Amino acid sequence: MIMFPDPSLCQSEYCQLDASVTVIVRSTRKTAPCLSCGVLATRIHSRYRRRLNDLPASGQPVHILLDVRRFFCLNLSC
């Protein structure tokens, strides 16, 4: 099981340091394998944001906002 994506497939969009540390990361993948049939999907179905809370850094809360895309499988037999 892969826990973390390849760093070359993500891009840091924004980082804010104040009462907390907030980092926005965007996925740059152009394709993704369908979870049902394994065919590479290229059509974007939707986008959404995942909010990850990490352990504090130097006493400040850490929030990672991950902008990801959901792909639509074009395989007719899927």
Side-chain angles (χ1 to χ4, degrees):
M1 180 168 97
I2 299 173
M3 292 290 285
F4 300 102
D6 182 349
S8 68
L9 300 176
C10 296
Q11 178 179 350
S12 178
E13 293 287 315
Y14 175 79
C15 184
Q16 177 181 347
L17 304 170
D18 50 24
S20 65
V21 177
T22 302
V23 179
I24 297 177
V25 179
R26 180 175 60 91
S27 171
T28 59
R29 289 188 78 158
K30 303 290 184 204
T31 63
C34 175
L35 297 177
S36 297
C37 68
V39 171
L40 281 181
T42 58
R43 184 173 164 211
I44 296 173
H45 177 274
S46 60
R47 292 176 170 86
Y48 63 99
R49 179 173 279 178
R50 291 181 179 168
R51 181 183 175 99
L52 310 172
N53 293 321
D54 203 353
L55 293 173
S58 298
Q60 295 181 316
V62 176
H63 308 288
I64 302 168
L65 305 177
L66 182 60
D67 290 337
V68 295
R69 293 177 277 189
R70 186 173 289 147
F71 289 89
F72 183 79
C73 182
L74 296 175
N75 182 1
L76 297 178
S77 64
C78 182

